[in-house]
Amino acid sequence: MNSQWRIPESALIVIYDDAGQVLVLQRNDDPLFWQSVTGTREVDETPCQTAQREVFEETGIDIAALHYQLIDCKKTNLYEIRPRWRHRYPPDAAVNTEYVFALQVAVAQNIELTEHSAFLWLDKNQAMDKVWSPSNKEAIMLFVPDQPAMLNFVSDT
């Protein structure tokens, strides 16, 4: 595959906090497009590795360093690649395979934006209304618990 093209596979990571607030991000290239963390799989990466990398790149959250647990939702979506983004993929690629993950973080988790213009913490219903893609809405509905359990951290001391 030509190295200039993206692999038509991605990870979608729904991030929510102990209070059940869902993180949504506003795209730089489309101010009406809000989403969870998402990104394309790179060569030699597993979907889980893609999810961990994308969470760090887009939010600054280092899952391993903070002792968070990335949850593989065992859900895969297929969707048509938006026509405005199709030039990024090989000519025969029209469908993307999306692997869904969830991540619970502490309330007031620091977010460092690098690829988005804004972020919001919204309740589950507001987040489902705000995000653009149907697969993102479904992931929030299915994988954000109505009452998240409080995180237990293991002390390194």
Side-chain angles (χ1 to χ4, degrees):
M1 184 182 323
N2 186 327
S3 63
Q4 73 184 10
W5 289 322
R6 293 185 179 186
I7 298 169
E9 295 181 25
S10 63
L12 170 69
I13 309 91
V14 175
I15 300 175
Y16 60 93
D17 70 13
D18 291 343
Q21 298 291 295
V22 180
L23 179 67
V24 296
L25 308 168
Q26 183 182 41
R27 290 185 63 93
N28 282 334
D29 61 356
D30 185 345
L32 299 178
F33 195 117
W34 288 78
Q35 64 186 39
S36 294
V37 170
T38 187
T40 303
R41 185 177 71 78
E42 293 181 356
V43 175
D44 297 329
E45 263 186 342
T46 66
C48 185
Q49 290 168 328
T50 300
Q52 292 172 342
R53 176 182 51 77
E54 289 291 341
V55 167
F56 183 72
E57 287 177 1
E58 294 186 15
T59 68
I61 297 171
D62 186 331
I63 294 170
L66 294 169
H67 305 287
Y68 289 148
Q69 181 179 359
L70 184 66
I71 301 161
D72 183 345
C73 297
K74 307 293 185 196
K75 171 100 172 106
T76 305
N77 299 309
L78 298 175
Y79 65 85
E80 184 178 349
I81 299 168
R82 287 179 88 185
R84 69 187 290 185
W85 295 335
R86 212 164 279 153
H87 68 279
R88 301 172 180 172
Y89 297 90
D92 61 342
V95 175
N96 186 73
T97 302
E98 177 182 72
Y99 302 93
V100 181
F101 297 86
L103 178 66
Q104 183 177 347
V105 299
V107 170
Q109 170 64 53
N110 186 49
I111 302 298
E112 298 172 18
L113 293 180
T114 58
E115 300 178 17
H116 296 85
S117 50
F119 71 91
L120 296 170
W121 289 100
L122 301 173
D123 72 34
K124 186 174 174 174
N125 289 327
Q126 291 171 321
M128 286 189 300
D129 288 342
K130 191 79 168 167
V131 295
W132 182 84
S133 81
S135 67
N136 201 163
K137 292 176 191 301
E138 180 186 49
I140 293 167
M141 179 182 68
L142 293 176
F143 303 115
V144 175
D146 291 327
Q147 296 180 337
M150 293 300 289
L151 291 174
N152 292 318
F153 290 99
V154 178
S155 173
D156 289 337
T157 56

